[in-house]
């Protein structure tokens, strides 16, 4: 374990190093191929198991994966440390809105194969699910989230447009076999003038038909689909979506999620691009590495591409059925080295900072807390004195802490904090 002092200056401003936790879900990248594994080793000194998947690196206060304060003799979690003086550490605006509940959870993801088709409940649904099934739904919070690509990052996200849905019905007889000719005709006869509610209801019906089809029918239909696509591949270039369908079926044979993937947008993010998801929006991360930030929750409702617990009925009933390609955030320039990714959620924003050799930048004092992650290089973070930082270091900065970052060799870091829009409203 690394040892570090707590750097505290007048007014309660604080910068502390954290020891963070890892999740070894089976979709993670294996051993040293995983950025998560590399960061976890550098953060904790715990050796990597080269045969084990390393999927997620968690930074925050969630009880399913808490961070610990480095250098404290007792096993002190970040949450316990914040609870000693929450209004000073979190700042008045954050404390008044969320109390001592830390508002966001910060992660790194290393994805080797597709995650489940899933959605995260809104606050009301999360509260009722947690009350009814606390062993499955671990908390009562909603979970809007954002994934910021570190490498090329692929995902399924949100429902395709009406026009694309019509193309799918025209060109994919296996989908028509599941939903029936009458419903397929309804899709083809719809137009944008029919009203959003009518379109939404039909999309919901189509998606529900697919997700609830009998297992034996799914197996039969997917066998036909894969056979047809393999034949087509000999005579024409398959679309990106069709190639994805073949890949998913190899990973999850006879899984209804392979069919459902047709209805979702296939998104490919370049490094430095971000995708955000509100509550009740379907998605599945497919491949690549990303920094992820979300409201402080671990609630997931799954319905496909997974061997885990599925709540198909809840998922089909909760979705917004909003259509169209999602907004891709490219970041707003804050200074020559830093871009800010600001989704429409109060709980969080993320800064991406890439410092070249022999350069310095400042993260100004803000009225809320931040978590910093160094993913590459080394340098110093300065409040009243220098804190040497390097790859794998995670630091918590309390409210009203101005930090100067400097490097001789180059440094790549991320900062997660509460949305700056929230502080603008309280000026």
């Amino acid at each position: 374990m690394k040892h570090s002092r707590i750097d505290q200056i007048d007014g309660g401003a604080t910068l502390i190093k954290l020891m963070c936790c890892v999740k070894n879900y089976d979709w993670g990248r294996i051993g040293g191929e995983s950025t998560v594994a590399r960061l976890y080793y550098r953060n904790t000194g715990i050796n990597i198991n080269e045969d084990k998947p390393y999927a997620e690196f968690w930074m925050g206060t969630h009880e399913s994966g808490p961070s610990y304060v480095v250098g404290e003799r007792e096993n002190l979690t970040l949450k316990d440390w914040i609870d000693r003086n929450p209004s000073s550490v979190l700042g008045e605006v954050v404390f008044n809105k969320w109390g001592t509940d830390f508002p966001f959870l910060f992660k790194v993801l290393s994805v080797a194969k597709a995650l489940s088709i899933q959605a995260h409940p809104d606050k009301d649904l999360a509260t009722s699910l947690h009350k009814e099934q606390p062993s499955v739904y671990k908390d009562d919070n909603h979970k809007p989230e954002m994934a910021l690509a570190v490498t090329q990052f692929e995902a399924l996200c949100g429902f395709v447009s009406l026009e694309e849905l019509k193309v799918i019905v025209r060109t994919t007889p296996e989908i028509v076999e599941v939903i029936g000719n009458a419903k397929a005709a309804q899709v083809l006869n719809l137009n944008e003038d029919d009203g959003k509610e009518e379109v939404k209801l039909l999309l919901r019906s189509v998606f529900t038909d697919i997700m609830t089809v009998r297992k034996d029918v799914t197996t039969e239909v997917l066998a036909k689909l894969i056979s047809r696509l393999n034949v087509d591949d000999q005579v024409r270039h398959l679309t990106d979506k069709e190639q994805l369908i073949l890949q998913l079926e190899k990973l999850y044979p006879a899984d209804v999620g392979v069919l459902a993937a047709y209805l979702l947008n296939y998104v490919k993010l370049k490094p430095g691009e971000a995708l955000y998801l509100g509550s009740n929006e379907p998605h599945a991360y497919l491949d690549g590495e990303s920094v992820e930030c979300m409201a402080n929750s671990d609630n997931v409702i799954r319905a496909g591409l997974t061997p885990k617990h599925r709540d198909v009925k809840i998922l089909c009933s909760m979705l917004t059925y909003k259509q169209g390609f999602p907004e891709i955030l490219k970041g707003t320039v804050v200074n020559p080295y830093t871009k800010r990714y600001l989704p429409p959620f109060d709980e969080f924003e993320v800064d991406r900072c890439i410092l070249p050799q022999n350069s310095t930048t400042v993260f100004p004092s803000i009225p809320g807390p931040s978590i910093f992650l160094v993913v590459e290089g080394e340098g110093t973070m300065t409040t009243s004195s220098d804190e040497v930082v390097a790859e794998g270091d995670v630091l918590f900065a309390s409210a009203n802490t101005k930090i100067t970052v400097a490097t001789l060799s180059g440094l790549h870091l991320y900062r997660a904090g509460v949305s700056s829009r929230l502080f603008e409203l309280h000026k």
Side-chain angles (χ1 to χ4, degrees):
M1 183 190 297
K2 296 180 182 179
H3 294 282
S4 169
R5 69 188 182 282
I6 293 178
D7 184 12
Q8 188 157 0
I9 59 177
D10 294 340
T14 308
L15 187 65
I16 62 171
K17 279 190 176 178
L18 301 177
M19 186 172 72
C20 303
C21 89
V22 74
K23 300 291 183 181
N24 302 101
Y25 306 136
D26 66 358
W27 50 259
R29 297 196 170 191
I30 303 297
E33 297 175 3
S34 168
T35 295
V36 164
R38 176 169 56 84
L39 293 173
Y40 180 62
Y41 168 69
R42 295 298 299 267
N43 180 261
T44 64
I46 297 172
N47 287 330
I48 297 167
N49 183 334
E50 291 296 343
D51 299 321
K52 200 171 185 178
Y54 288 80
E56 296 186 353
F57 183 61
W58 284 30
M59 299 160 282
T61 63
H62 197 283
E63 61 183 16
S64 296
S67 298
Y68 291 84
V69 176
V70 172
E72 288 286 303
R73 288 184 180 178
E74 71 264 40
N75 220 16
L76 188 68
T77 67
L78 175 60
K79 181 169 177 55
D80 289 340
W81 185 83
I82 290 170
D83 284 346
R84 291 177 173 182
N85 194 5
S87 61
S88 173
V89 170
L90 301 176
E92 282 188 22
V93 172
V94 174
F95 181 70
N96 289 340
K97 185 171 178 63
W98 290 288
T100 60
D101 293 328
F102 196 66
F104 62 84
L105 177 59
F106 199 23
K107 296 181 182 180
V108 180
L109 270 59
S110 291
V111 181
K113 65 177 184 179
L115 283 67
S116 56
I117 292 177
Q118 59 185 258
H120 306 300
D122 59 30
K123 182 68 175 170
D124 290 343
L125 180 57
T127 300
S128 63
L129 289 173
H130 177 61
K131 186 176 180 180
E132 293 163 9
Q133 303 179 65
S135 62
V136 178
Y137 302 103
K138 307 285 188 181
D139 57 72
D140 62 359
N141 201 12
H142 67 163
K143 193 186 174 187
E145 65 182 38
M146 178 177 69
L148 170 52
V150 175
T151 64
Q152 178 168 300
F153 192 76
E154 298 184 6
L156 294 169
C157 173
F159 288 102
V160 298
S161 67
L162 178 58
E163 285 310 306
E164 191 170 343
L165 181 61
K166 289 182 178 183
V167 172
I168 290 164
V169 169
R170 287 192 196 102
T171 59
T172 317
E174 298 81 9
I175 293 285
V176 176
E177 187 173 340
V178 172
I179 67 173
N181 289 322
K183 199 163 287 182
Q186 279 183 277
V187 171
L188 295 175
N189 290 329
L190 267 183
N191 61 63
E192 300 291 351
D193 298 329
D194 287 325
K196 287 185 178 179
E197 199 57 35
E198 188 176 346
V199 175
K200 183 186 291 187
L201 286 172
L202 183 55
L203 176 59
R204 175 174 173 163
S205 178
V206 168
F207 184 71
T208 303
D209 283 353
I210 291 171
M211 296 307 294
T212 56
V213 72
R214 291 199 328 264
K215 179 71 175 175
D216 60 323
V217 176
T218 302
T219 303
E220 182 183 338
V221 166
L222 278 176
K224 291 179 185 176
L225 172 62
I226 299 308
S227 176
R228 179 175 65 79
L229 290 180
N230 283 326
V231 170
D232 286 358
D233 194 29
Q234 304 303 311
V235 295
R236 66 175 175 87
H237 186 68
L238 297 182
T239 66
D240 284 357
K241 179 70 74 67
E242 288 171 331
Q243 291 176 45
L244 174 64
I245 294 297
L246 290 176
Q247 293 168 18
L248 292 177
E249 198 276 335
K250 284 180 181 177
L251 292 170
Y252 300 100
D255 192 305
V256 70
V258 178
L259 275 180
Y262 267 108
L263 271 59
L264 305 178
N265 297 295
Y266 183 19
V267 181
K268 296 181 181 181
L269 298 179
K270 298 173 184 173
E273 294 182 334
L275 174 74
Y276 66 85
L277 298 147
S279 300
N280 305 326
E281 295 295 344
H283 61 283
Y285 296 149
L286 302 173
D287 183 64
E289 298 187 294
S290 70
V291 166
E292 188 182 33
C293 201
M294 64 204 67
N296 194 17
S297 171
D298 195 31
N299 282 327
V300 180
I301 298 171
R302 302 177 182 88
L305 305 181
T306 180
K308 294 182 179 179
H309 175 76
R310 303 184 185 207
D311 265 330
V312 175
K313 184 177 179 181
I314 292 176
L315 186 96
C316 291
S317 67
M318 69 187 271
L319 299 178
T320 66
Y321 294 98
K322 185 170 65 178
Q323 289 180 278
F325 203 78
E327 181 183 7
I328 305 301
L329 300 180
K330 298 184 183 293
T332 302
V333 174
V334 176
N335 61 48
Y337 309 120
T338 307
K339 285 186 174 181
R340 175 162 296 162
Y341 300 80
L342 190 57
F345 315 125
D346 288 346
E347 285 86 352
F348 61 88
E349 66 186 19
V350 174
D351 290 344
R352 176 181 186 247
C353 178
I354 302 177
L355 282 177
Q357 291 181 333
N358 301 310
S359 57
T360 302
T361 195
V362 173
F363 287 87
S365 170
I366 56 173
S370 298
I371 292 178
F372 289 85
L373 165 68
V374 180
V375 297
E376 196 175 311
E378 59 183 35
T380 59
M381 294 180 70
T382 305
T383 52
S384 60
S385 56
D386 289 349
E387 179 76 75
V388 176
V389 296
E391 176 186 307
D393 279 336
V394 179
L395 300 100
F396 175 86
S398 66
N400 305 307
T401 304
K402 177 185 174 183
I403 298 169
T404 301
V405 184
T407 180
L408 296 177
S409 60
L411 190 68
H412 185 174
L413 63 80
Y414 293 87
R415 180 195 74 90
V418 174
S419 174
S420 50
R421 289 197 190 107
L422 185 66
F423 301 130
E424 291 291 328
L425 292 173
H426 286 84
K427 277 187 176 179

